[in-house]
Amino acid sequence: MPHYEFFCPTCKKTFSRILALIDWAEGEIPCPYCGSHEVEQVWSAFSLFTSQKCA
Ligand SMILES: [Zn+2]
């Protein structure tokens, strides 16, 4: 299952969710801390860095 990371600008926290692509839709992911749907998907810099090191 894909693993997504999100950032909530409202409470300045990041959280991760595991969900299928079909479950992803704009505004459908609530922040687990404040319940806001204004969350942004973030791409893990760590995984990008790791893949670059491996290349
Ligand atoms: Zn929040």
Side-chain angles (χ1 to χ4, degrees):
M1 293 286 272
H3 176 113
Y4 296 96
E5 287 191 40
F6 298 91
F7 171 72
C8 176
T10 303
C11 56
K12 306 269 197 287
K13 290 177 185 280
T14 57
F15 61 96
S16 60
R17 293 289 293 269
I18 298 173
L19 38 84
L21 278 176
I22 197 169
D23 290 333
W24 167 251
E26 292 267 347
E28 290 295 315
I29 308 297
C31 171
Y33 301 102
C34 70
S36 172
H37 286 238
E38 300 290 321
V39 299
E40 303 170 1
Q41 187 175 0
V42 296
W43 302 96
S44 174
F46 178 76
S47 59
L48 283 174
F49 182 71
T50 304
S51 60
Q52 283 177 355
K53 283 194 72 174
C54 290

